[in-house]
Amino acid sequence: MRIWVDADACPRPIKEILYRAADRVPIQVTLVANKALRPPKSRYVNVIHVPAGTDVADRHIVDSLETEDLVVTTDIPLAAAVVAKGAVALDPRGTLYTEENVRDRLAMRDLLQELRSEGMTLGGPPPLSKNARQEFANQLDRWLAKRG
């Protein structure tokens, strides 16, 4: 059992929650990124540096994960691939992806991409709130408790 983190887009407060959980449980947390990261020294936290490129980190995660693993990501196609492989995907805002909701999220993502390609200016997600961080921590704790 391991936690994989799509680390390039993962907010720092979420990474910090994961670092604390890694040492508390203990559980292996693997950050996958194409840029340099400096996590705290821990025998439970490691970084895999992948080359820059479209979906390189995503492919590495999907190819490496096992069904009992958790993947933390904001990337909807990655979440869909994780769920399809039988593992669990969790958004940094605390949304647990399921077979049902990931399809809806993919459809919404595709619609927004189409609107952007037609020149519409759409805002991004709101800043990560304290409530979102708490919801993430709660979902993480529930997942860890099921595995314990």
Side-chain angles (χ1 to χ4, degrees), residues 77 104-116:
D104 292 341
R105 300 262 177 150
L106 273 171
M108 179 60 74
R109 175 190 168 271
D110 292 345
L111 173 64
L112 292 174
Q113 274 189 323
E114 186 177 321
L115 292 172
R116 284 187 195 100

Side-chain angles (χ1 to χ4, degrees), residues 34-49:
N34 62 26
K35 61 184 176 187
L37 298 174
R38 290 190 177 95
K41 290 200 183 292
S42 168
R43 64 188 234 191
Y44 302 109
V45 177
N46 68 313
V47 175
I48 295 176
H49 187 263

Side-chain angles (χ1 to χ4, degrees), residues 1-5 18 26-32 43-48 60-61 64-72 87-88 140 143-144 147:
M1 180 174 71
R2 169 185 299 237
I3 298 173
W4 296 91
V5 183
L18 291 164
I27 187 168
Q28 190 67 46
V29 173
T30 301
L31 304 153
V32 182
R43 64 188 234 191
Y44 302 109
V45 177
N46 68 313
V47 175
I48 295 176
H60 181 86
I61 291 169
S64 303
L65 70 87
E66 297 183 19
T67 57
E68 67 272 8
D69 293 349
L70 173 72
V71 176
V72 177
V88 176
L140 177 63
W143 182 82
L144 289 168
R147 305 301 185 254

Side-chain angles (χ1 to χ4, degrees), residues 2-4 6 61-62 65-99 101-102 105 136 139-140 143 147:
R2 169 185 299 237
I3 298 173
W4 296 91
D6 184 9
I61 291 169
V62 171
L65 70 87
E66 297 183 19
T67 57
E68 67 272 8
D69 293 349
L70 173 72
V71 176
V72 177
T73 185
T74 59
D75 187 298
I76 305 298
L78 173 56
V82 168
V83 170
K85 198 163 175 182
V88 176
L90 178 62
D91 181 90
R93 295 176 185 278
T95 301
L96 202 58
Y97 294 103
T98 64
E99 287 183 26
N101 72 11
V102 80
R105 300 262 177 150
F136 174 83
Q139 285 286 7
L140 177 63
W143 182 82
R147 305 301 185 254

Side-chain angles (χ1 to χ4, degrees), residues 130-145:
K130 183 176 181 180
N131 286 344
R133 290 191 302 268
Q134 186 60 55
E135 183 58 27
F136 174 83
N138 291 344
Q139 285 286 7
L140 177 63
D141 285 345
R142 284 192 281 276
W143 182 82
L144 289 168

